[in-house]
Every structure is written in structure tokens, then in C-alpha cells.
């Protein structure tokens, strides 16, 4: 099967620093790929390349088999790639619903044609987007918080808002950067269920330090260390790989 997203020999440099070196990975529709590795290994940079924020110095990125060249972040969003940011990345001055609408805007019709068709169309689009945003909040169990400012909500709820903002565009590929960080055990459990539920509709790449979650929800794992892929495999294979244990998982106590 042709992977949804396929990176080959991707190298990213920041001035003198090589953040990613010759990285290859593939994710297929309906699967969850985990990316693990120590701090500074290049995990977030990998997402930044995958969604077009950062252009690699070398390598190719294919979407459904077709090479993406010089795509800007907004056009990649048009293909159906959505992400959450490490931390929260919510707009403090916008309500929960408005924050989610920022994500929904990705697939909104805009441009000269919709301007010509006039404001009624725009109003209808906005009503549709609001309904979709509210439906996503309901799905994540936080509809009651739609009018609140993020700063007034518990951290776990804010993380859900960030997830809702990524889900509302109905992406084909969802990139989650440390979705479990700062969450309580029961919230992590629910997050795992939500990710698994989403994976029946689309593909997921998740960067995560919580090994229990990663081992439970991922079909395959990629391990990065100092910008290089040091192992790829199923969770069981990765858990017993001596290089991974040495570089990242540590010696069992
Ligand atoms: N925009 C940038 N400019 C310069 N250096 C950068 C930039 N972004 C990342 N780096 C560097 O690239 C390396 C990889 O960073 P990255 O954020 O991808 O790591 P990470 O694996 O996500 O780490 P963490 O687990 O701490 O989130 C680090 O050395 C970082 O300092
Ligand atoms: Mg990171």
C-alpha cells in the first residue's frame, strides 16, 4: 500500500546544527506511528518538516506517493494534515470555540470566488464551521466550555481544546506533539482511546515521552537520537532493541 506520508533521506540543518540526518519514515492510512527519542533528538523538527513549516536541506517528502516540493504550511493543511503544538499553542484572547474555529478555517472556502458570491455564502460557511466546531467539542466532552477563555480552564481541558482544533478540519493525517504531557493518568487513558478512534478514519504520527501510551496505541515506532533514526519497528521490537534501551529507555531498574 502506498504510504500516506513518506519521508526519505530527509536532512534538516539550522546553521551549523544538523537537526535531522537522512531520516526516513512512512505512515499508512489507518495506522498510528510513534516517534520517540531523548530531548533535542529532532522529533518536533520532524513534524515541522512533515507539515511544511521547515524546508529540508535534502530529501523527499511524498504525500500519497506524490512528491511535495516547496509546499507552504497552508497548502499542506489543504491536503489534510493537521497538528497540535508541543505544549498548548492556544490563543489566550480567543474563546474555546474561536480557538477551534481557527483550525476549522483551514478548509473554509475563501478567495475571489466566495467574495463574488457574497456575504450570504460567507455567513452560511461560518455557521457550518461553528456547527462542526461544536460537534468536535462535544465529541471530546468539552462543549460546555465553548465560551470560556482557555486560561480559565484546567490544563487537561485546554489540551483537549488543542486536540479539537486539529480534529475539526477532519484531517487525513494528524500530527500530535506530546499530547499526554501534563495530563493525569485517567486523562491519558481517554486520550489513548481518542487517538485509537481517530485512527479508524485517518493516520496519526504521535511524538510522546509516555512509554505506556506509546506502546499501547502505536502500530509502529521510529526512534530518533541526535537527529538520526536508530530503530524502527513494532512496539515489542523496539522495547527489546539494545540500542534503544541504551539511548533512550535506560537500563531497567
Ligand atoms: N528553529 C530552530 N533553529 C535552530 N535550532 C533549532 C530550531 N528548532 C530546533 N532546533 C534544534 O534542533 C534540535 C532538535 O530540536 P527538536 O525541537 O526537534 O527536538 P525534540 O526531539 O522535539 O526535543 P523535545 O523532546 O525537547 O521536544 C535541537 O538541538 C534544537 O535546539
Ligand atoms: Mg519537541
Amino acid at each position: 500500500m502506498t504510504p500516506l506520508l513518506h519521508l526519505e533521506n530527509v536532512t534538516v540543518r539550522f546553521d551549523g546544527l544538523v537537526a535531522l540526518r537522512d531520516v526516513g519514515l512512512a505512515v499508512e492510512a489507518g495506522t498510528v506511528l510513534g516517534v520517540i527519542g531523548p530531548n533535542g533528538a529532532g522529533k518536533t523538527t520532524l513534524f515541522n518538516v512533515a507539515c511544511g513549516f521547515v524546508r529540508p536541506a535534502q530529501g523527499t517528502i511524498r504525500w500519497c506517493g506524490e512528491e511535495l516540493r516547496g509546499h507552504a504550511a497552508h497548502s499542506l493543511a489543504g491536503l489534510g494534515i493537521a497538528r497540535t503544538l508541543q505544549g498548548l499553542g492556544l490563543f489566550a484572547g480567543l474563546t474555546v470555540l474561536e480557538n477551534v474555529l481557527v483550525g476549522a478555517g483551514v478548509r473554509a472556502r475563501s478567495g475571489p470566488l466566495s467574495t463574488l458570491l457574497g456575504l450570504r455564502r460567507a455567513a452560511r460557511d461560518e455557521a457550518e464551521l461553528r456547527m462542526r466546531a461544536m460537534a468536535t467539542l462535544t465529541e471530546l466532552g468539552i462543549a460546555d466550555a465553548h465560551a470560556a477563555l482557555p486560561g480559565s480552564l484546567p490544563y487537561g481541558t485546554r489540551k483537549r481544546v488543542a486536540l479539537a482544533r486539529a480534529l475539526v478540519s477532519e484531517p487525513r493525517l494528524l500530527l500530535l506533539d506530546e499530547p499526554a504531557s501534563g495530563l493525569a493518568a485517567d486523562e491519558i487513558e481517554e486520550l489513548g482511546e481518542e487517538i485509537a478512534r481517530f485512527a479508524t478514519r485517518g493516520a496519526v504520527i504521535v511524538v510522546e515521552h509516555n512509554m505506556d501510551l506509546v506502546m499501547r496505541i502505536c502500530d509502529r515506532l521510529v526512534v530518533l537520537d541526535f537527529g538520526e533514526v536508530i530503530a524502527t519497528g513494532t512496539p515489542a521490537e523496539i522495547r527489546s532493541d539494545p540500542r534503544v534501551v541504551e539511548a533512550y529507555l535506560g537500563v531497567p531498574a
Side-chain angles (χ1 to χ4, degrees):
M1 192 159 69
T2 308
L4 203 52
L5 184 74
H6 193 177
L7 272 57
E8 286 172 304
N9 305 108
V10 166
T11 294
V12 172
R13 293 197 187 89
F14 295 116
D15 298 322
L17 180 101
V18 180
L20 293 176
R21 187 190 301 274
D22 263 345
V23 167
L25 65 79
V27 61
E28 292 183 359
T31 68
V32 181
L33 175 72
V35 179
I36 63 172
N39 291 118
K43 305 180 297 296
T44 296
T45 302
L46 188 65
F47 273 11
N48 287 338
V49 168
C51 75
F53 284 178
V54 164
R55 199 171 290 191
Q58 279 165 40
T60 54
I61 305 171
R62 286 177 214 281
W63 177 252
C64 301
E66 212 166 292
E67 188 171 342
L68 299 175
R69 280 174 194 266
H71 277 59
H74 64 270
S75 61
L76 283 183
L79 296 175
I81 301 177
R83 70 178 293 183
T84 62
L85 299 169
Q86 192 168 346
L88 286 168
L90 297 176
F91 296 102
L94 300 182
T95 66
V96 164
L97 180 61
E98 287 163 348
N99 266 282
V100 176
L101 282 168
V102 172
V106 158
R107 292 238 173 133
R109 286 176 231 111
S110 62
L113 184 64
S114 65
T115 310
L116 278 175
L117 291 173
L119 289 171
R120 271 174 71 174
R121 164 77 164 274
R124 199 182 64 203
D125 276 0
E126 189 179 329
E128 274 175 25
L129 292 177
R130 275 176 186 275
M131 268 173 53
R132 204 182 325 144
M134 278 308 292
T136 308
L137 290 172
T138 303
E139 193 182 319
L140 294 177
I142 52 169
D144 285 354
H146 74 275
L149 292 175
S152 69
L153 297 167
Y155 191 79
T157 310
R158 284 189 266 167
K159 282 289 257 198
R160 270 168 199 248
V161 178
L163 182 60
R165 187 171 62 189
L167 286 174
V168 72
S169 64
E170 295 169 4
R172 294 176 67 192
L173 174 65
L174 180 63
L175 307 173
L176 300 173
D177 200 348
E178 304 198 12
S181 73
L183 296 188
D186 59 333
E187 292 171 330
I188 294 174
E189 186 82 17
E190 283 169 27
L191 174 70
E193 285 162 20
E194 272 146 20
I195 293 172
R197 202 178 317 138
F198 176 79
T200 63
R201 293 177 261 152
V204 182
I205 307 181
V206 57
V207 165
E208 188 46 69
H209 288 291
N210 184 304
M211 280 305 118
D212 288 343
L213 178 67
V214 162
M215 295 292 172
R216 198 170 66 236
I217 65 170
C218 295
D219 297 290
R220 295 185 67 75
L221 293 176
V222 167
V223 188
L224 282 180
D225 191 31
F226 292 108
E228 294 187 49
V229 173
I230 60 164
T232 307
T234 63
E237 286 162 355
I238 293 301
R239 207 190 276 122
S240 56
D241 186 315
R243 283 169 307 171
V244 179
V245 174
E246 188 188 334
Y248 185 53
L249 298 177
V251 180

